[in-house]
Amino acid sequence: MAASGFLTAPFCIATVFVLYWSIALGCLVGRIRFWDFKGGRNDTHSWAIAMNAVLGVKYLKVGTNSLYKDGRCVYLCNHRSWADFFVDIYLTEGLAQPMARTMVYIAFPMFMTSVFFLKGVVLFKRGAIADKVKFNAWLDSKLTSSPAQNLLVYPEGHRSIQPKSLSLKRGMLYYAHSRGLPVQVIMARGKELILSEKKCRAGYGVHLPVAFSELVSSEGRTFDEFAAAVQSTWDKTWSTAYGVDLKGLRPLQQQDVPLHDYPVQTRYRQGAWCIVCIVGFAFALWLWYAALAWAISWLPSVLQVVGWVAVAAFFGLSVHASIIDNDAMNTKVA
């Protein structure tokens, strides 16, 4: 039986809190080496690894295809929840800049500022593009000036937890076709089980089956032919990821993850911001403690210890209720 929203809400709130302050956590566990001013680094991928570790996320490989890394590419991913932020950066090994609305920056300024300093995200305002030629030239400049020169796109347009895909938007397919870039579809099933802001639920220990498509070339095709090939590949990869049985799948292995030679100025900015995040994270934790202490102080002194135990027990129950039974979820989806 599914746990009630009342019981699972504390863990969901804690997960959003962890995501908000994830740069600080990545630094504190030693994944983001902000103190390294000489060696190669891949801070966005390292950040994603830290989030995977904190939330117990594991990846299972579906099929024989792997991430395309031999040239520039546009990656297309399914858009399910806020967990997409780190899941898809992990799957693309920090090689791509996700396209994100400016509202995402406003909602999560701590980790988005870090990614912005690293030139690891393309921020845009939703709405009709008045001058597509000018927009595409601006996008070219964003990609070529970054160590992550690939593009990560969510072609469904917005987050959906429906059991079927939304219709694909064609905007970035026009860009890929005009630049002669190939497309690869990356489909991860169950990202909304890690965190679903729509249902105010989060889960620990999620196993994600991941399918990589074959490369879809834009060369030698009209745009309509290219778009049809992308749609067909998208549908096939969706069916593969969402129809597979988890049993027997092997862990996804990432080998030879590329490191970036960040400019010195970028390293200084990132280092300074990481320190700001760590200080802010410590202050946020203190505020949570102070608020709880103030609330419990209203209890009679003989009951205050009981109050702290009750808070700890309730949160522990929330964590326990949020641990994902992957076998059960496999039965529902397969």
Side-chain angles (χ1 to χ4, degrees):
M1 180 182 297
S4 70
F6 176 74
L7 183 57
T8 57
F11 184 72
C12 180
I13 294 170
T15 300
V16 175
F17 180 82
V18 164
L19 180 59
Y20 189 92
W21 294 105
S22 52
I23 292 297
L25 286 169
C27 295
L28 292 172
V29 301
R31 281 294 181 181
I32 300 176
R33 297 179 292 113
F34 66 93
W35 58 86
D36 184 352
F37 283 83
K38 293 184 179 180
R41 288 165 36 185
N42 190 334
D43 285 12
T44 54
H45 186 257
S46 298
W47 163 71
I49 291 176
M51 286 298 296
N52 289 334
V54 170
L55 297 176
V57 181
K58 300 195 180 297
Y59 300 84
L60 305 174
K61 186 175 181 181
V62 180
T64 58
N65 293 325
S66 299
L67 180 71
Y68 175 72
K69 299 192 288 186
D70 293 334
R72 292 188 60 198
C73 180
V74 175
Y75 302 114
L76 304 183
C77 298
N78 54 330
H79 206 8
R80 307 296 288 183
S81 79
W82 286 344
D84 296 356
F85 296 143
F86 66 89
V87 168
D88 295 324
I89 284 179
Y90 175 77
L91 292 175
T92 55
E93 300 184 11
L95 287 171
Q97 297 185 60
M99 294 198 70
R101 291 184 300 150
T102 51
M103 283 300 298
V104 176
Y105 194 108
I106 295 172
F108 294 97
M110 305 312 289
F111 77 76
M112 286 298 292
T113 297
S114 173
V115 178
F116 180 79
F117 283 158
L118 296 169
K119 296 185 177 181
V121 65
V122 176
L123 295 172
F124 70 99
K125 293 181 180 180
R126 175 173 285 181
I129 299 173
D131 188 337
K132 292 182 179 179
V133 173
K134 184 176 180 180
F135 177 84
N136 288 345
W138 170 79
L139 190 53
D140 286 338
S141 68
K142 287 291 184 181
L143 295 176
T144 56
S145 65
S146 167
Q149 297 194 358
N150 301 315
L151 194 61
L152 195 167
V153 176
Y154 297 103
E156 294 170 285
H158 60 268
R159 296 183 300 275
S160 168
I161 57 175
Q162 296 180 28
K164 61 181 180 180
S165 171
L166 302 180
S167 299
L168 302 189
K169 308 294 184 182
R170 289 190 163 199
M172 289 301 99
L173 296 187
Y174 280 112
Y175 174 79
H177 186 264
S178 69
R179 268 50 181 177
L181 297 175
V183 162
Q184 184 177 41
V185 177
I186 304 174
M187 200 70 65
R189 184 182 92 201
K191 291 186 281 188
E192 68 275 16
L193 299 178
I194 302 171
L195 175 61
S196 176
E197 63 278 10
K198 293 180 181 292
K199 293 186 176 181
C200 194
R201 299 242 358 212
Y204 179 84
V206 177
H207 292 178
L208 297 180
V210 181
F212 297 89
S213 78
E214 67 276 9
L215 206 63
V216 182
S217 175
S218 60
E219 296 183 356
R221 286 171 163 155
T222 66
F223 174 74
D224 287 338
E225 291 172 342
F226 173 61
V230 170
Q231 182 69 67
S232 175
T233 302
W234 176 274
D235 294 339
K236 178 182 176 181
T237 311
W238 179 286
S239 297
T240 299
Y242 279 81
V244 73
D245 193 312
L246 297 185
K247 296 177 181 177
L249 294 181
R250 295 184 177 182
L252 175 67
Q253 302 289 339
Q254 292 187 334
Q255 298 178 343
D256 301 322
V257 175
L259 299 178
H260 304 311
D261 185 17
Y262 295 125
V264 173
Q265 186 179 34
T266 297
R267 294 175 189 253
Y268 276 115
R269 287 177 178 174
Q270 173 75 339
W273 187 249
C274 286
I275 292 172
V276 169
C277 288
I278 291 170
V279 173
F281 177 58
F283 182 65
L285 287 176
W286 178 83
L287 283 178
W288 274 99
Y289 170 78
L292 280 173
W294 176 82
I296 291 174
S297 70
W298 287 86
L299 295 173
S301 56
V302 294
L303 295 179
Q304 289 183 13
V305 173
V306 176
W308 282 109
V309 171
V311 169
F314 182 56
F315 185 74
L317 287 172
S318 181
V319 173
H320 183 268
S322 300
I323 295 175
I324 294 297
D325 183 347
N326 288 285
D327 290 335
M329 297 310 301
N330 184 42
T331 301
K332 291 180 181 180
V333 180

